[in-house]
Amino acid sequence: MRIGELAARAGTTTRTLRYYESRGLLSARRAVNGYRTYDEEDLKLLRQIRTLQDFGFDLEETRPFVECLRAGHPEGDSCPASLVVYRRKLAELDELIEQLTSVRAQVGAQLARAEAAVPGGPEPKCELGGHA
Amino acid sequence: MRIGELAARAGTTTRTLRYYESRGLLSARRAVNGYRTYDEEDLKLLRQIRTLQDFGFDLEETRPFVECLRAGHPEGDSCPASLVVYRRKLAELDELIEQLTSVRAQVGAQLARAEAAVPGGPEPKCELGGHA
DNA sequence: TCTTGCCTTGACGTCCGCGTCAAGGCTTAC
DNA sequence: GTAAGCCTTGACGCGGACGTCAAGGCAAGA
C-alpha cells in the first residue's frame, strides 16, 4: 500500500508518516517510480506509535517499542527496554498528577478566599452571623 | 529600581521582564538615560504574574489579575474577571487530571500485562497455582 | 582614562510534532 | 491531450515563553 492509504488506515496524515521516517521510526520500501510502499507490518508499527503518542509519550519514547516489533516480537512491549519506558512514564505521570492536584487545591483555595472577599459574587447560601 | 534588581528580587531574568513589557503586562517608567525604572508596586505585579505562571497559567490568563492590581485593588483576584479565569482553570485542571489518571491506569495495565508475559522480569512473589 | 558592569534595542534560536505551501512527476480516466 | 488525484522533496510556519548573541550606550571606581 502507498503512503496515503497507510495514513488513512491509521487515522493520521502523510506528513506525519514522512516525519516519522525522517526520525528513523518508520522505514519504507520504494516502488520503481519512487513511491513509498508499506505492508501490514508497517501498519502495526504505526499503530503502536500512535497509541503511545495518544498516551502522551514523546516520539523518542516510542522507539524501543518500534524496535521491539521490528525484532520480530509479537508486541511492542515484549522487550525490557519498552518496560523501562513504561515504568518511567508511570513515574512521570504520578509526579505530574501530584503536582496538578496540588495546584488545583491551591487555585481552589484562592478562588474560595477571593469569592468570600468579593460581595455579591458567591451569593452566600447561609447567614453565618446575626439572625435578622 | 532598575530592571536587573527587579528581576533578581522576583527570581527571574531581565529578558523575561522585557518580554512581559512587550506583551503589555508590565510597563516601566524611564530614567533620563533611557533605563527602565520600577517601584514596589511593579514588584507586586510581577510576583502576581510569576505565581500564576508557576501554577501553569498562560501569560494571557494573568492579564486580568494584573489589570485588577493596576486598577488599585488590593489583590489581583479582587475582580470578577480574575475569578472567571480561576474557575476556568479549575475546570481545565480537573479535565487534565482526569485524562492523566485514565492514561496512568491504561499504561499501568499495559505494564502489568507485559510483565506477566515476559518471564524473569517481575519476579513473582506468590505462587498462584500448585502447592509444592 | 580605562575597565567593569550595568543598561539599550534588535533579532535569531529553542523545543516538538507536525501543517502548509511550492513546484514538479506519475498514472489513470475521459 | 488533458485533467484529476495520487505521489516526490524542500522549506518555511506555528505556538509559548523565553535564551542567547550582537553591537553599542551609560555610570562609577581605580
Side-chain angles (χ1 to χ4, degrees):
Chain A
M1 101 193 81
R2 292 179 305 185
I3 194 170
E5 186 183 344
L6 179 60
R9 289 181 63 182
T12 183
T13 68
T14 61
R15 179 70 184 89
T16 296
L17 301 198
R18 293 197 189 94
Y19 178 65
Y20 290 170
E21 183 175 322
S22 79
R23 301 283 89 191
L25 283 173
L26 197 63
S27 58
R29 270 70 56 197
R30 294 295 182 132
V32 288
N33 58 9
Y35 287 12
R36 289 174 178 82
T37 305
Y38 303 92
D39 56 23
E40 296 298 322
E41 197 60 26
D42 292 315
L43 178 58
K44 191 173 179 182
L45 290 183
L46 180 53
R47 285 190 169 141
Q48 172 73 82
I49 297 172
R50 296 305 307 180
T51 297
L52 295 175
Q53 284 274 90
D54 290 344
F55 280 167
F57 284 54
D58 295 344
L59 258 192
E60 275 310 309
E61 291 178 320
T62 72
R63 196 177 295 278
F65 295 81
V66 172
E67 291 181 349
C68 188
L69 282 173
R70 277 202 191 135
H73 294 278
E75 305 291 337
D77 53 18
S78 300
C79 302
S82 304
L83 301 188
V84 169
V85 175
Y86 271 159
R87 294 193 190 97
R88 185 158 47 79
K89 186 55 70 175
L90 278 180
E92 286 176 20
L93 283 168
D94 287 341
E95 170 81 10
L96 183 55
I97 290 170
E98 188 179 355
Q99 284 180 17
L100 289 176
T101 301
S102 169
V103 167
R104 204 236 106 96
Q106 293 181 65
V107 173
Q110 286 294 101
L111 174 59
R113 188 193 46 67
E115 276 179 336
V118 175
E123 186 177 342
K125 295 192 179 66
C126 54
E127 299 168 13
L128 293 176
H131 65 305
Chain B
M1 90 193 86
R2 293 178 304 183
I3 194 169
E5 186 183 345
L6 179 60
R9 288 181 63 184
T12 183
T13 67
T14 62
R15 178 69 184 91
T16 295
L17 301 198
R18 293 196 189 95
Y19 178 66
Y20 290 170
E21 184 175 323
S22 78
R23 301 284 89 190
L25 282 173
L26 196 64
S27 58
R29 270 71 54 200
R30 295 293 181 133
V32 286
N33 57 11
Y35 287 11
R36 289 174 178 83
T37 306
Y38 303 91
D39 56 24
E40 296 298 322
E41 197 60 26
D42 293 314
L43 179 59
K44 190 173 179 182
L45 289 183
L46 180 53
R47 284 190 170 143
Q48 171 74 83
I49 297 173
R50 296 306 308 180
T51 297
L52 295 176
Q53 284 274 89
D54 289 345
F55 280 169
F57 284 52
D58 295 344
L59 257 192
E60 275 309 308
E61 291 178 322
T62 73
R63 196 177 296 276
F65 296 80
V66 172
E67 291 180 349
C68 189
L69 282 173
R70 277 201 191 138
H73 294 278
E75 305 292 337
D77 53 17
S78 300
C79 302
S82 304
L83 301 188
V84 168
V85 175
Y86 271 161
R87 294 194 190 96
R88 184 158 46 80
K89 186 55 70 177
L90 279 179
E92 286 176 20
L93 282 168
D94 287 341
E95 170 81 11
L96 183 55
I97 290 170
E98 188 180 354
Q99 285 180 17
L100 289 176
T101 301
S102 169
V103 166
R104 205 234 105 98
Q106 293 181 66
V107 173
Q110 286 295 101
L111 175 59
R113 188 192 46 66
E115 277 179 335
V118 174
E123 186 177 343
K125 294 192 179 64
C126 55
E127 301 168 13
L128 294 176
H131 64 303

